[in-house]
Amino acid sequence: MEKMPKWADIFLIPLVSLVLAAIFSAIVILAIGEDPWAAVKLMVKGALGSTYAWGYTLYYATNFIFTGLAVAVAFHARMFNIGGEGQAMLGGLGVALVCLYIPWPHWSLALIGASVGAALFGAAWTAIPAFLQAKRGSHIVITTIMFNFIANALLVYLLVNVLKPVGMMEPATSKFPKLIQLPSFRDMFSTADTIMFRGAPANITFFVAVAACVAVWLLIWRTRLGYELRAFGHSESAAKYAGINPTKIIMVSMLISGGLAGMMAINNVMGEAERLVLNAVEGAGFIGIAVALMGRSHPFGVFLAALLFGFLYQGGAELALWTSIPREMIVVIQALVILFTGALDNMVRMPLERLFLGLRRKPAAKPAAAE
Amino acid sequence: MTTPAIELRGISKAFGPVQANKDISIRVMPGTIHGIIGENGAGKSTLMSILYGFYKADAGEIFINGKKTEIPDSQHAIAAGIGMVFQHFKLVENFTVLENVVLGAEDGAMLRPSLAKARSQLKQLAEEYELNVDPDAVIEEIGVGMQQRVEILKALYRQADILILDEPTGVLTPAEADQLFRILGRLKEEGKTIILITHKLREIMEITDTVSVMRRGEMTATVKTQDTSPPELAELMVGRKVLLQVDKVPAKPGAMVLEVKNLNVTDSGGVHRVKDVSFTIRAGEILGIAGVAGNGQSELLEVLGGYEFGKGEVLINGQSIDLTGRHSNGQTRRERGIAHVPEDRQREGLIMDFMAWENIAFGYHHDPKYQKNRLFMDNAAIRDDTADKMQRFDVRPPNPMLQAKSFSGGNQQKIVVAREIERNPDLLLVGQPTRGVDIGAIEFIHKQIVALRDQGKAILLVSVELDEIMSLSDRIAVMFDGKIMGERLPEKTNVKELGLLMAGVAGEAA
């Protein structure tokens, strides 16, 4: 018997967690002598108040959808991929190589090529940790996080020694050709009279991310591979009995996960920076973990959670820009949200479950009394 | 009239919406053996856990020797003279018997005086009750029967006058069980009160003075054992008449289906589990493998099921199958016509978080009739198939959308059996088909297995329940320490002979 209705599990718990996180954030803001209500208003205005603000929020959300999906897919096979950061860096490398060294006739073809490049490079970066987990039992958490550092070192080396054009001071590649510039929201939604999303980085990749959500949903719940993946994630012993190959599931789930994380690079490298720079990922790989946790590893949940974190990211940046609330404060707020929605899930869940059990028992007793 | 040693009045306990115990009252007279019998989930264990202080009753009172007693935790239960022997022993494996007995009952900070005291007491107890155990033996090196004695000694050392035993014979050979019953008889003579929880009717009839029957959280009857009979108890347990004996006609063995030749299995820990096992099964017969759990039966099933590896030769319909795991797994076995009802349905046979329909496809998810096209599965088709199977195998509730964990043990097992039998396999491997399954479902599952045999299929049945082996099998092989000790025909053998084989005592060649 279910302890509580499904809608409560999916919507009520994250909502209560969020409210709790907001309350604690307010207390912290009060403690440093600022006005929490003003801060909220500023965040909402800065993240949702204009098409410009939305353009940033959705840009960040796009990153988080990819990294969140990456973590979610691996979760279903009970693999904890916390190497999204490194996989996204490598994805960026794939995008840069595809964009710089292949003469694309049109941006749409380049987008397809870059998607493939990003996914392949991201996936390749998980291949070694996945293989070590499948064949040697080396814990995926340890290996993927170590691969983040290796990815960083690799990227520094390549950007400084190989990819940097002669004469440039910054460790970055040269700009991608103008011809393959992805359409931004401004290009797509502005009319002759009004310019929308002016200066905002959101671009067509957002729709690729939405498509990825649908694709992941189909993969997990409609295909044999998804079925095997979930079966393995729920019970390895049962999967063995059924003849599901553990090595295959670990490898495939991690490769898909890495590919999704890598695809984030279409957004930030090809869509926004239009060249590969160091630290392009900016922690989005780690935020993906929180997004997947909060989204209950369901693509639709990941989508909503990514929007929320996009809002926090953009709203937080505005807060740092316009108030004396220090930038670190934003990290505190984000951390509180992650803490309450992810780590302290049971703290909210248990009382709510008890509440629902109590509610259920009463109606069962009532009819007798009413008659 | 003597005061009862234990009297429970109006005990009720609910877990969420589930009423585990409903207004239960019971009197256990001192110096008697009182059996409590009921199906899984009838509330026996909950009731005893309340008595031992693990759970707090929602309502009701407990009287020990006529005195109203509160038992908030097990310390109070021990103080009130109650000792409990659990189904799964609670012993420290690498401690000696003596250390285990003293554990939790030390007299002071220093261990030596307690141990010395315990040693002399153990000697005394051993003489008094014929409970001989070497106090310096390490637990992991002594047999299960001995370990159980240690549990009883632990209780007696804590001056228990009332002893509760929860399914004590589940892990014992028949001979060990007889010894246990002798000890219990001796304890009774010395005036101890014993509560025996079991689901085995035979044990109740053999040893108890009084028996209480529980069904769905309620105490349905308390009767003198001599005034009742197994069919009557079974009816009280289930609530309707049940067939205790399986109806079957003699087997008509046909062509050879399974040949196992010199099979050896070494597990991942390097332990040699199956040693030179050879046997055959023909179409239309059931070979039962008897034995105490842990004597290689599980590994035998796993190798045949394709997910443990071995050396030797196994032929299905005259064709050999791969035992190395390099070219085979559970999938290829199914393609070869081998279906498998695994011993542990919760760990292997089902995914407890999956819905019933997802479990019906489990292992057969490559079946073309479950696919919509090359890319996607046809979930609607699986659901229809599931609804159909659930109806034919009387799974309750017949709702394909419920998670496996929300079904009772019997209904979970019916889902597994339905999935495997409906595949119409040449060979069906069945491990512990009725473990944790209620009597009504046992009857049903047994009928299905016999029906499959009568369709001319070969069946390998592994069970630790001798009654089950005796009533279902056409031939019986006994496994001990990885070896097959011998084969017998059920009509030409008896529990005693099988019991000796199960204990590793080789009989005269059959």
Side-chain angles (χ1 to χ4, degrees), chain B residues 93-164:
Chain B
E93 292 268 301
N94 54 353
F95 274 18
T96 63
V97 170
L98 197 61
E99 287 168 327
N100 267 293
V101 168
V102 171
L103 186 66
E106 306 90 344
D107 291 325
M110 301 307 288
L111 207 52
R112 199 178 279 271
S114 309
L115 287 177
K117 189 181 111 191
R119 189 181 293 276
S120 68
Q121 286 226 350
L122 277 193
K123 213 169 148 215
Q124 209 181 324
L125 287 171
E127 280 164 16
E128 214 170 325
Y129 303 109
E130 293 164 26
L131 269 165
N132 287 310
V133 188
D134 172 11
D136 296 311
V138 178
I139 293 296
E140 59 196 354
E141 285 163 9
I142 60 178
V144 188
M146 279 293 165
Q147 293 184 5
Q148 195 169 49
R149 285 191 192 182
V150 177
E151 284 284 9
I152 295 172
L153 281 171
K154 265 169 70 179
L156 294 177
Y157 181 72
R158 288 160 178 72
Q159 335 250 273
D161 286 320
I162 300 158
L163 210 55
I164 306 169

Side-chain angles (χ1 to χ4, degrees), chain B residues 279-281 285-289 459-461 473 475-477 487:
Chain B
F279 60 86
T280 58
I281 310 179
E285 74 173 343
I286 300 176
L287 174 70
I289 296 202
I459 292 163
L460 176 66
L461 167 74
S473 312
R475 281 184 296 132
I476 300 172
E487 262 190 42

Side-chain angles (χ1 to χ4, degrees), chain A residues 1-3 6 76 78 214-215 217-246 248 357-358 360-361 364, chain B residues 14-17 305 307 329-331 334 340-342 346-351 353-354 357-359 361-363 365-366 371-377 379 383 403 405-406 416 419-420:
Chain A
M1 181 159 233
E2 298 282 329
K3 287 196 174 110
K6 219 169 176 182
H76 279 289
R78 208 187 284 158
V214 177
W217 183 81
L218 284 172
L219 168 77
I220 298 289
W221 279 284
R222 285 291 179 273
T223 67
R224 282 187 299 284
L225 177 64
Y227 178 89
E228 293 195 339
L229 211 131
R230 285 185 296 128
F232 178 81
H234 279 299
S235 169
E236 201 177 329
S237 51
K240 257 174 72 186
Y241 153 81
I244 294 169
N245 182 347
K248 175 186 148 195
L357 275 181
R360 188 170 306 166
R361 219 178 307 164
Chain B
F15 296 103
Y307 55 106
N329 56 30
Q331 290 292 322
R334 286 174 178 83
H340 183 186
V341 177
Q346 306 207 342
R347 238 176 67 80
E348 297 185 334
L350 294 168
I351 291 185
D353 289 330
F354 269 16
W357 69 269
E358 289 173 300
N359 272 303
F362 193 52
H365 49 281
H366 289 285
Q371 317 302 326
K372 193 175 278 173
N373 49 41
R374 287 191 50 163
L375 218 50
F376 297 119
M377 292 176 84
N379 293 352
R383 279 195 276 269
Q403 285 179 318
K405 63 182 173 197
S406 43
V416 180
R419 179 181 75 206
E420 300 301 327

Side-chain angles (χ1 to χ4, degrees), chain B residues 202-234:
Chain B
R202 194 158 46 85
E203 291 172 3
I204 290 287
M205 298 311 294
E206 202 171 313
I207 186 170
T208 62
D209 300 305
T210 322
V211 53
S212 297
V213 185
M214 287 188 76
R215 174 161 42 119
R216 291 196 195 137
E218 286 175 277
M219 194 67 87
T220 47
T222 297
V223 289
K224 286 238 177 303
T225 309
Q226 61 198 36
D227 301 339
T228 187
S229 64
E232 189 192 3
L233 286 177

Side-chain angles (χ1 to χ4, degrees), chain A residues 323-339:
Chain A
T323 66
S324 56
I325 296 177
R327 210 181 156 77
E328 286 69 26
M329 191 60 222
I330 314 314
V331 182
V332 171
I333 294 176
Q334 284 163 3
L336 281 167
V337 170
I338 295 175
L339 187 69

